[in-house]
Amino acid sequence: MVGLATAFGSGAMTNSIDDIADDAQSFFVIGTNTTENHPVIGMRIRQAVRQRGAKLIVADPRKIDLVDFAVLHLRHKPGTDIALVNGLMHIILANGWENKEFIKKRTEGFDEFKAVVDKYTPEKVSEITGVPLEELQQAAEIMAQNKPTAVLWAMGITQHTTGVGNVMSLANLQMLLGNMGVPGGGTNPLRGQNNVQGACDLGGLPNVYPGYQKVTSPEIRSEYAKAWGLTDEQLSPEIGLTATEMMPLAFEGKLKAIHILGEDPIMSEPDTNHIRKALETCELVVLQEIFPSETEPYADVLLPGASFAEKDGTFTNTERRIQMVHKAVESPGEAKPDWWIISELAKKILAIGDRKVQEADFSAWEYQDTNQIMEEIASLTPIYAGVSHQRLLSGETLQWPVKDKEHPGTPILHVGQFSRGKGLFSPIEHVPPAELPDKEYPMILSTGRVLYHWHGGQMTRRSKGLLEIYPEALIEVNDFDAEKLGLNGHKRVRVSSRRGTIEAEAMVTDRVPPGMVYANFHFPEASANELTIAALDPVAKIPEYKVCAVKVEAV
Ligand SMILES: Nc1nc2c(c(=O)[nH]1)N[C@H]1C(S)=C(S)[C@@H](COP(=O)(O)OP(=O)(O)OC[C@H]3O[C@@H](n4cnc5c(=O)[nH]c(N)nc54)[C@H](O)[C@@H]3O)O[C@H]1N2
Ligand SMILES: Nc1nc2c(c(=O)[nH]1)N[C@H]1C(S)=C(S)[C@@H](COP(=O)(O)OP(=O)(O)OC[C@H]3O[C@@H](n4cnc5c(=O)[nH]c(N)nc54)[C@H](O)[C@@H]3O)O[C@H]1N2
Ligand SMILES: [Mo]
């Protein structure tokens, strides 16, 4: 999955779990179902509310569990976050609650930004979002009177065609209130996969080398070419493709081979029918997996990877903390650590490739262990420059940037100064989602997770205990809609979009508002992605998993 840049640089939590939990006077939890998807952080928020009276505002179309702990639940329409946040900032400015000194000293672009926010009057915002005027006023007041506010978000903010704009709006809000670079504040995207932060940090994005260094920079390219025994020309100066751009190209027959590592696109990419055809059309599909996933039938070659419990290395968690993992059990069969498979593959490609390869190229791929890989990372990645297995093993807990071997790491980013110098305010306008309900498809589908399962469920559907608790996909339907659909007694529903149809049991609940259903993508027999739309954010290329139009019928 692609990362999202903010006004300050890389997409990462600016603050740490501890300082947020201990020092935030208020929380703005927007588009994160924290207790189900980040249970440790969810627990710390609940404790902060109960034990020291921190004020919690939840902004989520669904009545998630944290709402029980909130002083205010803003139940806005899906895909209206920019309007909502602009509205809150409008009220903050109208009351003079902004941090004038912070804005003057540490930011730029304020006037252009303010010109846009001025247009988002409470009345206009209430109309777009469906949030009552008093609640908008209350939310702005709570944030102004309980500083600092920690802003936390996850996929409810990013998985939209306006994902980048949503994130930038939240950055605007925190700069306006002067909540950056202080304990208990910050912009905090809660990262998802155990090592998605590490994967992004170390170049698992199409536009950057490790440490968010641009592939388009000739100096950076030269540095990497030298380290890897290549000429500059052997490294592409062009930005590559994201996963969501590869699939349409495979579908058109323009992308001929794909190597899928630790992803199950048949379950997790939007519009499954489209993905099936894309993988069928692709001439070579290599799948590097720990289980025969739903994508396995489309693979020409399977490369068995070792699971997290069967290898050594580091994972970087959501608060930029680099942590060691150790091999606990032997891998079954022929499974090998992913790094080993990749380096063997690289050597084979170099050997048969038509580039004039010298012996030196191979040595760049001769790793003995992950300790040696970390040494290379440190030598080429400024934010990891001081990281070593030795330091981690001696008990140091390092959060990047770790600038050198003596540097203690950085629990809070942007103290005193932003990495780009001044923080940039961005004028952001509300744009509606790509597909809204109409006569034929009158309801909104939103998709996401439940506590008991993990994405396509390859791991969690193999766990007996979890399957006992949550054995099949449930679709959340509001009581009001259930009655309209004639669901009394029956519980099965058919949900259709322009792209596909699923059938599953309904869970009749006020967790979803009227007019909206919520489905997960944990079960192949009723996966939400049969229905979702592959509309992308133009910058981050993230799909709009959180909004599409559907028809719901009782069966
Ligand atoms: N149990 C479990 N935990 C997980 C995962 C898992 O599969 N299972 N996956 C991990 C991964 S990779 C990730 S990325 C994270 C995801 O963590 P979350 O983002 O918390 O997960 P989602 O279930 O997608 O929930 C998104 C929330 O956004 C809300 N939402 C939907 N549309 C909108 C909108 O337009 N605006 C706003 N403000 N909110 C909206 C939804 O109602 C929901 O509460 O979870 C991680 N943790
Ligand atoms: N509708 C809808 N779709 C979504 C989302 C949503 O909210 N709604 N969320 C999106 C998000 S945020 C995410 S992160 C994706 C997640 O989607 P995926 O990345 O596809 O899901 P996972 O189940 O986390 O992992 C995929 C596979 O990795 C394998 N695996 C696990 N460990 C290892 C390992 O060490 N090595 C190797 N080689 N393989 C391993 C597992 O067996 C699994 O089959 O889904 C996205 N899709
Ligand atoms: Mo994710």
Side-chain angles (χ1 to χ4, degrees):
M1 229 357 92
V2 288
L4 273 174
T6 69
F8 321 115
S10 62
M13 281 177 76
T14 58
N15 285 53
S16 300
I17 298 167
D18 272 345
D19 78 76
I20 291 171
D22 295 340
D23 300 317
Q25 294 309 306
S26 52
F27 294 92
F28 189 38
V29 163
I30 179 163
T32 139
N33 181 2
T34 327
T35 51
E36 291 198 63
N37 297 315
H38 296 89
V40 175
I41 299 175
M43 179 197 66
R44 299 288 301 270
I45 296 174
R46 289 195 318 241
Q47 285 174 341
V49 170
R50 282 281 154 91
Q51 294 172 5
R52 59 177 183 82
K55 303 272 186 299
L56 168 65
I57 305 170
V58 172
D60 198 304
R62 288 167 70 228
K63 202 200 260 178
I64 53 172
D65 294 344
L66 267 185
V67 167
D68 289 346
F69 294 76
V71 285
L72 185 63
H73 178 200
L74 304 173
R75 202 168 196 184
H76 56 312
K77 293 183 194 149
T80 64
D81 294 271
I82 291 172
L84 178 70
V85 177
N86 275 348
L88 297 178
M89 295 190 293
H90 184 107
I91 297 169
I92 288 167
L93 283 166
N95 288 281
W97 291 333
E98 74 274 21
N99 186 330
K100 296 182 184 70
E101 200 191 325
F102 186 93
I103 296 167
K104 192 158 157 243
K105 283 204 182 130
R106 296 210 36 198
T107 70
E108 56 195 19
F110 180 73
D111 294 338
E112 296 86 330
F113 152 79
K114 185 172 177 299
V116 167
V117 169
D118 281 346
K119 296 191 292 180
Y120 287 78
T121 59
E123 293 71 24
K124 174 173 165 167
V125 169
S126 181
E127 198 185 309
I128 300 174
T129 61
V131 176
L133 287 174
E134 324 68 85
E135 291 184 6
L136 293 171
Q137 178 71 27
Q138 237 181 311
E141 206 170 311
I142 292 168
M143 285 190 228
Q145 289 172 359
N146 297 275
K147 280 192 187 180
T149 305
V151 175
L152 281 72
W153 73 84
M155 295 301 117
I157 280 297
T158 50
Q159 289 173 342
H160 292 279
T161 44
T162 55
V164 170
N166 286 352
V167 169
M168 287 172 136
S169 295
L170 293 170
N172 286 339
L173 174 69
Q174 287 298 62
M175 288 193 291
L176 191 68
L177 291 168
N179 285 334
M180 297 302 297
V182 291
T187 48
N188 299 288
L190 306 181
R191 305 306 302 259
Q193 300 273 13
N194 56 345
N195 194 33
V196 64
Q197 186 67 56
C200 292
D201 295 348
L202 298 181
L205 293 167
N207 59 339
V208 286
Y209 285 110
Y212 305 96
Q213 305 182 86
K214 294 194 167 64
V215 294
T216 49
S217 152
E219 294 79 35
I220 299 291
R221 178 162 75 128
S222 241
E223 198 185 318
Y224 278 87
K226 212 163 101 201
W228 292 339
L230 302 169
T231 62
D232 289 9
E233 292 66 39
Q234 285 175 307
L235 291 177
S236 169
E238 286 179 17
I239 292 174
L241 299 171
T242 62
T244 49
E245 289 172 305
M246 290 177 197
M247 288 298 170
L249 287 173
F251 183 85
E252 292 167 29
K254 290 183 186 149
L255 187 134
K256 308 234 181 273
I258 192 164
H259 181 167
I260 301 170
L261 199 170
E263 208 208 326
D264 189 7
I266 291 291
M267 292 301 292
S268 57
E269 296 269 333
D271 189 358
T272 313
N273 274 319
H274 186 264
I275 302 299
R276 286 189 189 100
K277 288 186 200 125
L279 292 179
E280 273 161 13
T281 311
C282 203
E283 287 171 27
L284 174 68
V285 178
V286 179
L287 183 64
Q288 190 165 327
E289 251 292 351
I290 60 169
F291 290 123
S293 67
E294 298 305 308
T295 303
E296 186 256 3
Y298 299 83
D300 302 292
V301 182
L302 284 177
L303 299 172
S307 80
F308 71 94
E310 301 155 6
K311 56 194 175 194
D312 297 308
T314 62
F315 291 155
T316 304
N317 81 356
T318 185
E319 54 173 5
R320 297 172 282 106
R321 190 185 297 281
I322 302 146
Q323 296 174 308
M324 288 228 53
V325 289
H326 299 286
K327 181 170 171 167
V329 286
E330 289 300 327
S331 306
E334 295 171 5
K336 289 277 193 301
D338 292 302
W339 67 263
W340 186 90
I341 299 174
I342 292 167
S343 49
E344 288 306 301
L345 200 60
K347 284 189 270 183
K348 293 204 163 52
I349 290 171
L350 285 173
I352 58 172
D354 51 17
R355 286 179 188 159
K356 296 274 169 284
V357 179
Q358 292 120 26
E359 280 301 303
D361 289 340
F362 287 94
S363 68
W365 289 99
E366 298 288 354
Y367 299 108
Q368 299 309 309
D369 53 29
T370 53
N371 181 36
Q372 202 186 341
I373 297 176
M374 187 54 93
E375 280 169 12
E376 180 181 328
I377 292 170
S379 73
L380 285 167
T381 315
I383 57 174
Y384 278 63
V387 180
S388 66
H389 281 192
Q390 201 191 352
R391 284 184 77 178
L392 297 171
L393 287 169
S394 77
E396 281 192 86
T397 63
L398 299 172
Q399 286 168 280
W400 66 253
V402 190
K403 294 176 182 158
D404 56 51
K405 295 217 151 38
E406 276 73 49
H407 191 266
T410 314
I412 303 180
L413 296 179
H414 313 308
V415 179
Q417 204 189 342
F418 291 110
S419 37
R420 72 179 291 278
K422 287 200 166 177
L424 180 63
F425 275 108
S426 317
I428 316 272
E429 296 272 9
H430 164 70
V431 183
E435 188 185 65
L436 282 170
D438 54 22
K439 258 197 167 146
E440 209 183 336
Y441 297 97
M443 295 185 77
I444 285 186
L445 169 77
S446 182
T447 70
R449 300 151 175 81
V450 302
L451 175 64
Y452 305 104
H453 287 282
W454 190 266
H455 305 143
Q458 291 310 329
M459 295 175 283
T460 48
R461 281 186 288 105
R462 285 180 168 83
S463 161
K464 199 167 156 260
L466 293 175
L467 267 191
E468 265 168 30
I469 305 174
Y470 198 98
E472 61 177 318
L474 296 177
I475 295 176
E476 294 177 10
V477 181
N478 181 272
D479 314 63
F480 172 82
D481 293 317
E483 206 177 311
K484 259 198 349 196
L485 294 167
L487 266 189
N488 37 351
H490 303 272
K491 283 205 104 186
R492 258 186 116 64
V493 285
R494 182 183 304 126
V495 186
S496 324
S497 75
R498 289 185 174 82
R499 295 152 295 278
T501 297
I502 59 173
E503 277 185 26
E505 289 283 296
M507 176 183 161
V508 178
T509 168
D510 69 347
R511 264 169 90 83
V512 280
M516 173 173 161
V517 288
Y518 175 83
N520 65 59
F521 58 114
H522 302 314
F523 296 85
E525 55 285 5
S527 165
N529 282 322
E530 301 284 351
L531 309 169
T532 49
I533 183 166
L536 305 182
D537 176 283
V539 179
K541 314 290 182 189
I542 192 167
E544 190 145 68
Y545 288 120
K546 295 296 185 249
V547 185
C548 75
V550 291
K551 172 169 72 187
V552 183
E553 300 154 289
V555 282

